Amino acid sequence: MKKVLLTLLMAVVFLPMAMGQTKADRIFVTENATECGAFTWIDGNTYATDTTVMYTSGDTVYVLNLTMLPAVVDTTAMVEVTGECVYTNHGKTWVEEGTFYDTLRTVQNCDSVIKINITLTRVDVTDTLTVSACDSYTSSWGETYTTSGQYTQTESVGICEHTHMLDLTVNYGLTDTALVQLNEVEAGCSYTWQGTTYTDTMAHYKTLYTVNGHCDSLAGIRVVSFSGTEYDTANVVSCGNVSYTWYGRTFNAAAQADTTIVVDGCTTHHHLNLTYGDAYDTIVRSSCAQYVYTYDSRTGAPGQRESATFTESGIYNEDMDGLELVSRHWSTGCVTHHTLNLTIVQPQQRERDFVLDTAACDSYTFTVGRTSVTFDTDTVYTLTHYAHGTNGNTNICYDSIGTLNLTIKHSTINDTVVVACDTFYWDFNDTYYTSSIVAQLRDSILNEEGCPMIGKLNLTINYTPEVTIEGEWNLQPGESTTLTAVTPMSNVRYAWYRGTSTTPVSTTNTLALNNVNENIDIHLVSTSQQGCVANNWLTVTSNVGIDDVDALSVRLYPNPTSRVLNVESADMIATVAVYNAIGQQVMLRNGDSNAMQLDLGNLANGQYSIRIISVNGDESTRKFVVSK
């Protein structure tokens, strides 16, 4: 048959040549195909057997040589299947019983047929859901209900039906006490309602919540009357020589006692059962991998051990070395014997293993679970943490291992240790300090490693003596006087200088001047035990026409000063003028009080004089030193 068909095809192919068209004018395309089942070609036809066909389109002749592979059909192999309602296999679903053929693909991409005998069992299912909701409820099938009732929804599953039943109670919140129906009850000497105990007959209200937690309603209760008798028993175990006080009575030994108390007509009988001896308790613990029992160091437990470690489940009255698990109260001597009921859960799987590569400035705290370790150097560290949990009713234990690869970078430390008099200017934070301090500050500026600049200040402030000079310095010619330096500070050293002399004329707190017939410039240097220096200048006059010199009592401090000079006067200050060593005025300030503070930060180091004039016209001239 193939040979006859091929002959006919050749005749068709050469027919155009006989009609004047040459073979060279034609383009031949041959396709050799191997398929199984069926094959659809470019001519639009589907072929199911071996064949050779030709198709002409314009000047092109297409030739197909098709070989069909046989499909594997085995209808004798029966697959017996039993299912409920529906049966699903290879992505196909059957919803009825019978014998069916299913076509599969072999690895060569050819069809294979299997025979399936399906037996289905009708199982109709009904489930009931009981729900209390607030105001409204949306069911699993998408309907929203606002009233209580029973609702159903049926859906088909194969040959079966699945019926959903909803037993719904819809609650509505109440916010007005007028809408609340009070429950009136009778009680004994007290009653407990919603966790609170009441001893009065007033009405009480509480906001209650439905089970789904978002609907609130008010509920109320009121006691009509108290009546009846109540009883209670106290079973007390005491120990050692500890006394026990009960309703005003003190017991030092085992006892049985009763007392009766009447409150608002209600009688309560109380009974005490007091015994003496050691106390016993049971400690129930479940731990992951191990359990550490800690002795209270204050109790004086035998052996003075801090803790004992257990790694196996069991019931223990003592540790692995035979040390009893007891605690003894440090003040009473009472002993409690502990029984440890321990369950050790071994790690089953790791929960959160991790590796942390990080860098930190100066120090870093590595935390895994509840365990923390702090490092201040480059470190590679591994820490294991055990976590204890539950899976349903089963205790489970996980271990997680954290590995730290730490690089420590360092802040730049500006360490300043200073001993200063009265005040100190710290340029690290542009601040003046007038008292001793130990401080550490971080600057927002970072160093090359990205760490902050840290300033450490250990400052000791010592104080300049606050010295006043008492005595008469406005004299008549030939008069004598004694000047006395007065200060509340102890252990002060004094040096009095006269005129321009560099040698002190007195090193005590007094200076005697005899037969004064001229004006004398006096300079007093007072040095504290810590080396802080106060300078006082005055002029002792001998009636030479300057009767008003130092008529104003003035106090200057600190002197020398690095920046701030405090001026205090017995009278209100009107003006203050500061002059340099050559007499030039370098500062003028107006005053309105008995004290002023001058900022001398713009003045150079050296000796200056200051003239203070009060509102009464009195004035005083002093000298001071700026030393930065």
Side-chain angles (χ1 to χ4, degrees):
M1 179 65 186
K2 283 188 175 182
K3 186 174 181 180
V4 173
L5 181 59
L6 181 59
T7 303
L8 292 175
L9 287 173
M10 294 298 292
V12 175
V13 170
F14 291 107
L15 182 59
M17 296 177 59
M19 299 176 64
Q21 184 176 9
T22 65
K23 182 177 180 179
D25 295 332
R26 293 279 186 170
I27 300 173
F28 290 87
V29 178
T30 301
E31 179 180 357
N32 299 311
T34 301
E35 287 292 332
C36 57
F39 177 74
T40 300
W41 197 37
I42 59 175
D43 61 356
N45 296 320
T46 300
Y47 303 96
T49 60
D50 295 349
T51 186
T52 297
V53 294
M54 183 179 64
Y55 170 70
T56 301
S57 175
D59 294 336
T60 303
V61 178
Y62 298 90
V63 178
L64 170 65
N65 295 320
L66 176 63
T67 301
M68 299 299 299
L69 297 176
V72 179
V73 180
D74 186 1
T75 58
T76 61
M78 178 69 72
V79 179
E80 297 285 343
V81 176
T82 300
E84 294 182 356
C85 303
V86 298
Y87 172 70
T88 301
N89 184 45
H90 291 92
K92 295 183 179 180
T93 300
W94 286 269
V95 296
E96 58 185 1
E97 298 180 318
T99 301
F100 303 91
Y101 294 93
D102 190 12
T103 301
L104 307 178
R105 283 284 189 179
T106 65
V107 292
Q108 295 85 9
N109 205 30
C110 293
D111 291 339
S112 296
V113 179
I114 62 170
K115 183 179 181 182
I116 305 174
N117 186 20
I118 300 175
T119 302
L120 298 178
T121 302
R122 182 182 180 92
V123 180
D124 294 333
V125 177
T126 301
D127 60 57
T128 301
L129 177 63
T130 301
V131 175
S132 293
C134 186
D135 300 327
S136 65
Y137 179 77
T138 301
S139 67
S140 60
W141 53 87
E143 291 290 337
T144 299
Y145 302 96
T146 58
T147 58
S148 301
Q150 292 184 336
Y151 304 93
T152 61
Q153 173 73 13
T154 300
E155 61 179 345
S156 296
V157 181
I159 64 172
C160 305
E161 291 184 349
H162 192 165
T163 302
H164 304 283
M165 296 187 64
L166 173 64
D167 186 1
L168 175 63
T169 301
V170 177
N171 299 311
Y172 305 95
L174 298 175
T175 57
D176 189 349
T177 57
L179 301 177
V180 179
Q181 179 65 42
L182 285 174
N183 295 319
E184 297 185 348
V185 299
E186 292 186 2
C189 295
S190 64
Y191 71 97
T192 300
W193 179 57
Q194 295 294 326
T196 303
T197 299
Y198 300 93
T199 58
D200 58 65
T201 59
M202 298 175 60
H204 297 279
Y205 298 89
K206 281 201 172 183
T207 301
L208 308 180
Y209 298 90
T210 60
V211 292
N212 52 5
H214 66 272
C215 181
D216 57 341
S217 297
L218 288 176
I221 195 168
R222 179 174 61 194
V223 172
V224 176
S225 63
F226 285 114
S227 63
T229 302
E230 295 184 351
Y231 301 86
D232 70 31
T233 298
N235 295 310
V236 178
V237 177
S238 190
C239 63
N241 296 318
V242 181
S243 60
Y244 180 75
T245 301
W246 181 74
Y247 288 101
R249 300 168 63 185
T250 300
F251 302 88
N252 293 303
Q256 301 280 331
D258 293 280
T259 189
T260 300
I261 297 177
V262 179
V263 179
D264 296 332
C266 293
T267 301
T268 303
H269 296 280
H270 301 281
H271 177 71
L272 172 66
N273 181 18
L274 176 63
T275 58
Y276 275 77
D278 290 351
Y280 296 83
D281 68 10
T282 298
I283 304 171
V284 180
R285 294 290 186 270
S286 178
S287 185
C288 186
Q290 64 180 14
Y291 174 74
V292 178
Y293 170 87
T294 302
Y295 294 98
D296 187 346
S297 60
R298 298 173 303 166
T299 63
Q304 296 298 314
R305 180 179 295 173
E306 293 183 358
S307 62
T309 301
F310 298 87
T311 58
E312 296 181 0
S313 301
I315 298 177
Y316 300 93
N317 300 105
E318 56 186 32
D319 65 14
M320 297 309 186
D321 296 327
L323 188 62
E324 186 180 4
L325 305 182
V326 300
S327 60
R328 181 179 295 109
H329 195 277
W330 65 274
S331 62
T332 65
C334 296
V335 175
T336 301
H337 301 263
H338 303 293
T339 297
L340 175 62
N341 188 349
L342 178 63
T343 301
I344 293 293
V345 183
Q346 296 300 327
Q348 297 179 357
Q349 64 184 68
R350 291 199 174 112
E351 185 184 32
R352 293 181 298 271
D353 285 0
F354 67 92
V355 175
L356 176 61
D357 297 311
T358 190
C361 291
D362 303 321
S363 67
Y364 181 78
T365 299
F366 184 46
T367 300
V368 178
R370 296 183 180 178
T371 303
S372 296
V373 185
T374 300
F375 304 96
D376 58 8
T377 58
D378 294 350
T379 302
V380 177
Y381 183 77
T382 299
L383 182 61
T384 301
H385 167 67
Y386 294 100
H388 191 197
T390 59
N391 183 6
N393 295 323
T394 303
N395 289 323
I396 56 177
C397 176
Y398 302 98
D399 65 341
S400 54
I401 299 176
T403 299
L404 171 68
N405 296 321
L406 174 64
T407 301
I408 289 293
K409 299 184 292 184
H410 299 282
S411 301
T412 299
I413 306 298
N414 180 354
D415 201 348
T416 303
V417 179
V418 176
V419 178
C421 292
D422 300 311
T423 185
F424 173 72
Y425 172 72
W426 195 24
D427 56 3
F428 185 83
N429 62 342
D430 191 26
T431 301
Y432 283 91
Y433 292 90
T434 58
S435 59
S436 300
I437 190 174
V438 176
Q440 178 171 310
L441 300 176
R442 284 175 172 259
D443 200 330
S444 59
I445 300 175
L446 303 181
N447 61 18
E448 295 180 353
E449 292 186 337
C451 293
M453 309 286 288
I454 297 179
K456 292 183 178 181
L457 174 64
N458 187 347
L459 173 64
T460 301
I461 291 290
N462 298 317
Y463 296 98
T464 300
E466 298 179 7
V467 178
T468 59
I469 300 176
E470 297 179 352
E472 183 62 44
W473 54 75
N474 292 321
L475 306 177
Q476 294 298 323
E479 287 186 336
S480 300
T481 187
T482 297
L483 304 179
T484 302
V486 179
T487 178
M489 186 178 293
S490 61
N491 299 319
V492 175
R493 302 188 307 274
Y494 301 97
W496 299 81
Y497 297 89
R498 180 171 176 168
T500 60
S501 173
T502 58
T503 301
V505 295
S506 175
T507 56
T508 68
N509 68 323
T510 62
L511 173 64
L513 298 174
N514 299 316
N515 301 317
V516 178
N517 291 295
E518 60 180 350
N519 293 342
I520 303 174
D521 291 330
I522 300 297
H523 178 200
L524 172 62
V525 178
S526 305
T527 306
S528 70
Q529 188 176 12
Q530 294 79 23
C532 295
V533 177
N535 291 272
N536 294 77
W537 287 271
L538 61 86
T539 300
V540 176
T541 64
S542 180
N543 195 21
V544 292
I546 314 178
D547 296 334
D548 57 346
V549 173
D550 283 332
L552 182 64
S553 177
V554 171
R555 176 174 171 236
L556 304 179
Y557 66 93
N559 189 2
T561 179
S562 60
R563 179 164 184 166
V564 176
L565 180 67
N566 295 286
V567 181
E568 295 182 358
S569 168
D571 297 329
M572 183 174 292
I573 299 172
T575 60
V576 171
V578 177
Y579 302 89
N580 61 19
I582 61 175
Q584 295 174 327
Q585 180 177 294
V586 293
M587 180 180 292
L588 179 64
R589 296 287 186 271
N590 295 322
D592 59 359
S593 66
N594 293 73
M596 294 182 65
Q597 191 174 72
L598 304 180
D599 186 353
L600 308 177
N602 62 334
L603 298 184
N605 290 345
Q607 181 174 295
Y608 296 81
S609 61
I610 182 170
R611 183 182 184 192
I612 304 100
I613 303 176
S614 73
V615 295
N616 297 325
D618 295 332
E619 66 178 80
S620 178
T621 301
R622 294 283 189 271
K623 295 182 180 179
F624 66 91
V625 175
V626 174
S627 177
K628 299 180 181 178

